[in-house]
Amino acid sequence: MVGPRDEAASGRGKIMGINLFSGYGYVYAIVYHRLKDIRKGMKYNDIWRIVGFCALLLAGQNVLSGKERIAPGAQNTVSVMAGAPKVKYSKMIFGQFIEHFDNQVYGGLYDPESKFADEDGFRKDVIEALREIKTPIVRWPGGCFVSTYHWLDGVGKERTPVYDKTWQVEDPNTFGTDEYIKWCRKVGCEPYICTNAGTGTPEEMSDWVEYCNLTIGKYGRMRAANGYPEPYHVKYWSVGNENWGAHELGARTVQEWGPLVRESAKLMRSVTKDAKLFAAATSDKNWTMPLLREAGPYLDYIAIHGYWDPLFHVNNPAPFLKCMMKTDAPERDIQRAIGILEEAGFGGGKIKIAYDEWNLRNWHHPWHGDLRRGFDLEARRKNDIASTYTMADALFSACFLNACLRHSDVVDVACFAPIVNTRGPIFVHPDGIVKRTTFYVFKMYTNGLEDYMLPVALEAERLTQGNQSTAVFDVVLTGNADGTRYVYAVVNKDPEKSHALTLDFKSLGVKEPRKIKGTVLSGTSADDYNDIGKERVVPEECTFEVRDAAVVLPPHSLTLLRLEK
């Protein structure tokens, strides 16, 4: 778990006061990478300024002084970037996360006493829901939990309950590695195991890889003796979780972290050479640059966490409009991380970015990290208050995924945190499940988008709150391989008003239609939510009239618009 990022970013995210990351991030990324062959000998900030200026010109924007704003009533227009390559994005950005925290595992996805349990104790309704959103990957077992978790306690016929020092409860160890892998197979997702780099050792991490992936040696034979003769072939492994934070048990200093990751990765690769290795990182170069200097050659990903509504100690969720003012922050965070990778010599996808924990809202667990005070365990129930998860959560999540899509050449994995209970898209209760608003964002994206990203430029009105503002629309465009089908994904952040958006048909070779079919998620108000027996927010199929290439999109909505040649 992590709090919101510092959004100042030393001014590098602006050119003459204009935010490059709201609507133009993809344009910026393309121009930046096109300069890679000529930037030797140039200062990083100089490159940034040149790129930003070019991005504005490519997007068809005037270069303003920084004081002007696009006036209300200005035309909202999306334009396809002519000649820019389309990028096949990774479906792994629609991944999920589960932790041994509160009722996520026990009483969540695993509940042998439930009437919905299968022969292994897994909730069948949860598995079916995860299949519905085509869950590609699930990270486990933590999270902060993993920094005191020892995997050997959770395998074999005899399981000994242990005291979970992180969350200060007893863990029965009933759900361990073998159960997790079996559950992943039923869901149809890739397992992604986060290892203990807090109180664990590099050897313990690599032993875990042995248990999962080998047929020989002490641990490969142990798995077979436990009743699983075939190796699991787990590909995705992370060294540690948030070891940069004082809240983490087994936190590390900057000087300690890089060498520990390096030696852990060497041991893990000695077991599985083609493993995909992640390491706990941040978008702060003071932490991540030393990590990359020491361990970069052994890594495939830096693993970053992002939560933007800080509710650790006080459960006071931000209202809709305040949440919309946060929707540009993830893209700024991505850009900072890309800059670090470039500066370290691992840009251009040599090392990719994984947001392996993300959500709008932090989990509520008062006094985490204050070891003298201890936890208020009952307060964790507040995470399950249904009315928290409104269209604000849905639209922020869509904007986050759009930012990942715009940078899909580098952002390759993302895991919503968590998938079940707490602040997850699925809430489990004795008589079934509730699919929260965020669930339907994943359903729409995994079932409705095409496979390739096409870069676009957006000119849009500004939605304001006090001295903050954001573009009223967030737009991405996807297409199929042969260019015969396209889907626009459009977020209207305005809580009250419909807005017209002019689409680009000509650049796609599509004749302007009279009507467009689409799927809309909006509810009846910005504060609508789903609860037991009350599904107020579900996707609806709609037909939109097209006038002068524009469609009118409802307030507080996510819309997928489908085009065909």
Side-chain angles (χ1 to χ4, degrees):
M1 305 287 296
V2 62
R5 305 295 187 193
D6 176 8
E7 297 174 2
S10 69
R12 293 193 306 183
K14 293 187 176 183
I15 304 299
M16 290 177 271
I18 299 172
N19 180 4
L20 292 178
F21 305 117
S22 179
Y24 309 109
Y26 198 89
V27 178
Y28 164 84
I30 289 173
V31 182
Y32 184 87
H33 290 299
R34 292 299 173 271
L35 282 173
K36 65 182 180 181
D37 294 326
I38 64 170
R39 64 177 185 261
K40 291 183 179 179
M42 297 178 66
K43 292 182 180 179
Y44 182 80
N45 283 346
D46 292 337
I47 297 169
W48 186 280
R49 292 183 180 279
I50 292 171
V51 170
F53 184 81
C54 292
L56 289 170
L57 294 179
L58 282 172
Q61 302 302 302
N62 294 319
V63 180
L64 308 179
S65 69
K67 296 180 180 179
E68 297 92 344
R69 294 179 179 176
I70 298 174
Q75 188 178 43
N76 301 306
T77 304
V78 60
S79 304
V80 180
M81 300 303 301
K86 60 185 177 184
V87 177
K88 188 169 186 177
Y89 63 87
S90 168
K91 300 296 178 69
M92 293 296 182
I93 66 169
F94 304 122
Q96 306 293 337
F97 167 66
I98 197 75
E99 180 168 1
H100 289 242
F101 171 82
D102 199 34
N103 57 355
Q104 293 180 28
V105 174
Y106 303 108
L109 63 89
Y110 179 78
D111 187 358
E113 302 304 316
S114 169
K115 61 185 177 183
F116 297 102
D118 67 9
E119 68 279 4
D120 294 308
F122 306 145
R123 288 277 300 238
K124 291 182 289 187
D125 48 357
V126 171
I127 290 173
E128 290 168 4
L130 292 174
R131 288 175 178 169
E132 188 178 344
I133 60 173
K134 299 181 178 178
T135 302
I137 190 170
V138 174
R139 177 174 175 256
W140 170 88
C144 298
F145 169 82
V146 80
S147 288
T148 59
Y149 177 68
H150 299 285
W151 68 269
L152 277 168
D153 294 334
V155 298
K157 294 181 180 179
E158 299 297 325
R159 307 289 177 91
T160 303
V162 297
Y163 177 65
D164 170 11
K165 294 182 177 69
T166 296
W167 300 122
Q168 299 177 16
V169 296
E170 183 177 83
D171 189 293
N173 271 317
T174 314
F175 188 93
T177 303
D178 299 316
E179 290 75 26
Y180 164 67
I181 296 296
K182 186 180 292 186
W183 180 82
C184 285
R185 300 295 187 245
K186 291 187 176 186
V187 171
C189 67
E190 287 283 348
Y192 168 22
I193 294 178
C194 181
T195 62
N196 179 356
T199 60
T201 66
E203 188 170 33
E204 184 182 18
M205 298 178 212
S206 64
D207 290 347
W208 204 352
V209 182
E210 283 190 45
Y211 183 86
C212 289
N213 292 353
L214 295 189
T215 57
I216 59 174
K218 177 180 178 180
Y219 297 106
R221 293 181 185 278
M222 180 187 292
R223 184 199 64 252
N226 288 339
Y228 305 96
E230 295 301 318
Y232 293 143
H233 300 298
V234 177
K235 182 188 299 184
Y236 298 91
W237 295 87
S238 178
V239 179
N241 173 82
E242 296 183 4
N243 299 87
W244 40 261
H247 63 281
E248 195 79 5
L249 299 182
R252 306 287 177 166
T253 65
V254 171
Q255 294 75 22
E256 292 171 329
W257 186 237
L260 176 63
V261 171
R262 181 192 65 221
E263 297 308 309
S264 301
K266 286 163 62 178
L267 283 169
M268 295 164 83
R269 284 211 184 277
S270 75
V271 179
T272 300
K273 290 178 172 49
D274 60 349
K276 299 294 185 183
L277 297 186
F278 302 61
T282 72
S283 57
D284 182 345
K285 67 184 295 183
N286 293 324
W287 175 268
T288 300
M289 283 293 287
L291 165 65
L292 293 171
R293 281 196 296 267
E294 291 286 346
Y298 300 95
L299 297 177
D300 298 288
Y301 296 88
I302 54 172
I304 298 174
H305 294 175
Y307 299 86
W308 286 269
D309 188 15
L311 304 171
F312 312 98
H313 306 310
V314 179
N315 193 56
N316 185 26
F320 180 89
L321 194 54
K322 188 172 182 179
C323 291
M324 294 304 97
M325 295 302 118
K326 301 175 184 290
T327 53
D328 298 326
E331 194 150 13
R332 291 195 290 267
D333 204 46
I334 290 170
Q335 287 287 3
R336 286 194 290 269
I338 289 173
I340 294 168
L341 290 172
E342 291 279 356
E343 189 174 347
F346 294 101
K350 293 177 185 176
I351 291 180
K352 295 196 173 185
I353 297 170
Y355 273 86
D356 61 4
E357 279 188 42
W358 72 272
N359 200 325
L360 166 61
R361 307 187 197 276
N362 276 107
W363 306 357
H364 182 57
H365 39 61
W367 323 127
H368 180 40
D370 188 344
L371 298 177
R372 290 183 180 273
R373 185 165 185 169
F375 278 119
D376 178 356
L377 299 181
E378 190 58 32
R380 296 176 187 177
R381 300 275 59 74
K382 295 178 182 178
N383 289 304
D384 292 333
I385 298 173
S387 59
T388 303
Y389 309 105
T390 67
M391 284 306 300
D393 300 73
L395 300 190
F396 180 93
S397 297
C399 290
F400 176 92
L401 293 172
N402 286 357
C404 292
L405 288 165
R406 281 191 286 269
H407 300 282
S408 53
D409 57 333
V410 180
V411 181
D412 203 58
V413 175
C415 301
F416 191 86
I419 182 58
V420 175
N421 292 336
T422 314
R423 302 206 186 278
I426 300 170
F427 173 68
V428 173
H429 58 92
D431 295 317
I433 63 173
V434 175
K435 297 172 181 177
R436 290 171 172 160
T437 59
T438 46
F439 176 89
Y440 289 110
V441 174
F442 282 101
K443 182 176 181 179
M444 289 171 67
Y445 274 53
T446 57
N447 290 277
L449 297 183
E450 298 291 346
D451 292 339
Y452 290 83
M453 270 294 299
L454 284 76
V456 297
L458 174 68
E459 179 182 354
E461 302 168 81
R462 305 296 290 180
L463 183 66
T464 62
Q465 183 186 47
N467 61 357
Q468 293 182 301
S469 72
T470 184
V472 72
F473 284 117
D474 189 309
V475 183
V476 295
L477 173 64
T478 63
N480 64 352
D482 57 8
T484 58
R485 295 194 311 271
Y486 301 95
V487 176
Y488 280 104
V490 185
V491 175
N492 179 0
K493 305 175 194 177
D494 195 312
E496 298 176 348
K497 297 180 181 179
S498 298
H499 290 272
L501 176 65
T502 301
L503 304 175
D504 189 344
F505 296 104
K506 183 177 180 181
S507 298
L508 300 176
V510 175
K511 182 180 179 181
E512 181 180 322
R514 293 182 178 180
K515 296 181 179 181
I516 298 179
K517 291 184 178 181
T519 306
V520 180
L521 184 73
S522 64
T524 58
S525 77
D527 295 326
D528 248 355
Y529 61 92
N530 293 335
D531 202 349
I532 298 173
K534 299 177 182 178
E535 277 214 331
R536 302 178 180 90
V537 184
V538 295
E540 297 180 352
E541 296 302 310
C542 300
T543 300
F544 296 86
E545 290 189 3
V546 181
R547 295 182 180 178
D548 297 326
V551 295
V552 177
L553 299 168
H556 52 81
S557 67
L558 166 64
T559 303
L560 301 188
L561 297 169
R562 297 182 290 274
L563 310 176
E564 289 191 24
K565 282 190 176 179

